[in-house]
Amino acid sequence: MNFIRIGDKLISREKISDAINKVLELRYRGLSQQDVADRLHLDRSFISRLESLGEVRKGGTIALVGFPVLNKDEILSLANEEGVDFTFLMTEKERRDFIERPSGLELFNQVMEMVGRVRQYDIVIVLGSDKRVALIQALLDREVISVEIGKSPIEEDKFVDPGHLRGLIHSLRREP
């Protein structure tokens, strides 16, 4: 073990490293800062400061929204690798389940909540049909980058070119 003495305290660097790795893994899995803090008996502000300390990129935030995506897992992985801040992708089956499951009021509330959430990001990349892309552009007052994956109505999953999407994300990340 690698120790360092600070006054009367003997500090384990490995223990600190393990704790940081646990925090980051839980945040990566989608837990909120408060949930992680509660689980690991830490202050939420510590987790926030830790994330700020490790932040590599400053600047515009990016959200990626799309459906129906055939290679959803591949695109989710790509978005994670590229540091996309928020991703919401669905297959056709997931989209059908999403709209058929709740009542009309519940569906409306879920859609409005999603619109509110996506509006928090500076740039929104939308993968969808020509009509869905136009609708989302009208709903958001953010920069919307559209990637049409088919003509409406799309009734089956569509392949999204990962190379094209990666290039698009890289072009959005470039400093002016």
Side-chain angles (χ1 to χ4, degrees):
M1 287 201 133
N2 189 357
F3 296 102
I4 185 170
R5 180 161 299 279
I6 300 176
D8 292 340
K9 300 177 191 171
L10 187 60
I11 308 294
S12 167
R13 290 178 188 256
E14 286 182 42
K15 188 174 179 181
I16 292 172
S17 180
D18 289 346
I20 290 171
N21 287 336
K22 284 178 189 173
V23 167
L24 296 176
E25 179 61 28
L26 292 171
R27 289 288 288 140
Y28 171 76
R29 289 188 200 164
L31 273 71
S32 71
Q33 289 179 348
Q34 189 62 57
D35 290 340
V36 173
D38 292 344
R39 185 177 285 190
L40 300 178
H41 308 289
L42 300 168
D43 290 329
R44 188 211 53 79
S45 61
F46 170 77
I47 294 169
S48 176
R49 288 185 181 120
L50 181 64
E51 291 177 10
S52 295
L53 180 66
E55 187 174 14
V56 175
R57 177 187 52 80
K58 290 278 191 190
T61 56
I62 297 177
L64 174 64
V65 176
F67 53 88
V69 178
L70 177 66
N71 52 333
K72 176 185 163 187
D73 291 341
E74 180 180 18
I75 299 303
L76 284 170
S77 178
L78 181 150
N80 183 54
E81 290 170 17
E82 293 300 328
V84 172
D85 302 287
F86 174 79
T87 306
F88 182 75
L89 302 175
M90 290 188 284
T91 64
E92 178 62 16
K93 181 181 181 333
E94 290 169 330
R95 179 172 73 130
R96 292 275 176 212
D97 290 345
F98 180 77
I99 62 174
E100 293 172 359
R101 182 177 24 99
S103 69
L105 179 60
E106 289 170 320
L107 177 61
F108 178 78
N109 287 337
Q110 288 175 353
V111 169
M112 290 297 101
E113 181 180 320
M114 183 64 66
V115 168
R117 192 167 183 190
V118 171
R119 288 173 58 105
Q120 296 175 21
Y121 299 92
D122 300 309
I123 300 168
V124 180
I125 302 171
V126 179
L127 313 172
S129 71
D130 52 344
K131 288 185 181 177
R132 296 285 186 252
V133 166
L135 178 63
I136 292 172
Q137 285 175 326
L139 284 172
L140 301 176
D141 65 350
R142 300 284 175 266
E143 182 174 353
V144 176
I145 309 295
S146 61
V147 178
E148 286 186 23
I149 59 174
K151 298 291 179 196
S152 190
I154 299 177
E155 297 182 352
E156 73 276 340
D157 293 336
K158 295 291 186 176
F159 179 80
V160 174
D161 181 350
H164 173 74
L165 185 58
R166 189 179 304 274
L168 175 60
I169 294 167
H170 279 218
S171 71
L172 296 172
R173 293 281 189 220
R174 287 194 190 121
E175 295 293 327

